[in-house]
Amino acid sequence: SYELKVPYSSPRELLMDVLHYGADAEIIEPASLREQARSLLWAAVHEFKQHGDRALARFNDLNGNFVRDDLYVFVLDMDTQVIRAHGGMPRLINRPAGELIDANGKPFIRDLIKAARASDEGRVEYAWRNPLTQKMERKQTWFVRVGQQVIAVGAYAGPLN
């Protein structure tokens, strides 16, 4: 185990630098930054538990509280493998996604569903197009299973190697 101290000018910049090192990298300080990547996810989980399917419209609202720069919520039905909400790519809403593969040919939706069936919350990694840069980038996505729905938020971790 190594500890790396990185100077930064904004928490978002530090988060992207840490995520660049992959799934095993962990933010130790500042403590508030450790939760920044997942705060949007937990807000979405709360919204969904409070409002059910009515929350989906809020997740899809590009000008709402659940789309923040390149962070956005998406919701996947585990049984049908249909994307029910997607704040980053609205054209994916109500489409079957089980056969989607990333830029490296990884069936990441199937991997996400498999991980969600195994654990109520977790993280997966894959390559996906960043809606701000329009470039394929590495992405880490945290998820929480609520019933048969997988609520997820991912953070872009830089260019593909």
Side-chain angles (χ1 to χ4, degrees):
S1 157
Y2 298 95
E3 185 172 326
L4 175 65
K5 294 184 178 185
V6 181
Y8 66 97
S9 60
S10 75
R12 184 95 173 121
E13 176 187 3
L14 179 59
L15 178 62
M16 291 300 103
D17 283 345
V18 170
L19 292 177
H20 177 77
Y21 291 96
D24 295 327
E26 178 184 357
I27 298 168
I28 297 171
E29 300 182 8
S32 62
L33 184 56
R34 193 176 318 148
E35 294 303 317
Q36 182 179 355
R38 291 182 281 185
S39 66
L40 184 60
L41 172 61
W42 288 105
V45 168
H46 176 75
E47 185 78 10
F48 190 80
K49 285 181 176 180
Q50 293 290 99
H51 302 286
D53 286 350
R54 291 178 298 165
L56 300 175
R58 293 181 185 103
F59 300 157
N60 292 331
D61 182 357
L62 300 179
N63 297 310
N65 293 329
F66 293 97
V67 178
R68 302 176 187 165
D69 298 320
D70 61 354
L71 291 177
Y72 54 84
V73 174
F74 68 95
V75 179
L76 174 67
D77 184 288
M78 290 195 320
D79 290 334
T80 64
Q81 299 184 359
V82 168
I83 293 177
R84 303 197 58 220
H86 202 294
M89 263 185 218
R91 70 177 181 266
L92 292 177
I93 298 167
N94 295 323
R95 294 187 184 251
E99 299 304 315
L100 279 178
I101 57 172
D102 75 357
N104 298 317
K106 181 179 181 178
F108 68 97
I109 294 292
R110 280 187 278 168
D111 290 351
L112 177 60
I113 291 170
K114 182 178 178 181
R117 288 193 193 285
S119 178
D120 288 344
E121 60 182 272
R123 179 174 62 179
V124 295
E125 293 188 39
Y126 52 95
W128 196 246
R129 184 175 307 280
N130 184 322
L132 293 183
T133 66
Q134 294 301 310
K135 294 180 180 175
M136 294 305 279
E137 295 184 22
R138 291 182 309 111
K139 187 171 184 180
Q140 293 185 349
T141 293
W142 289 267
F143 68 84
V144 174
R145 184 181 71 213
V146 179
Q148 291 303 307
Q149 308 306 305
V150 179
I151 301 173
V153 175
Y156 290 91
L160 297 175
N161 294 336

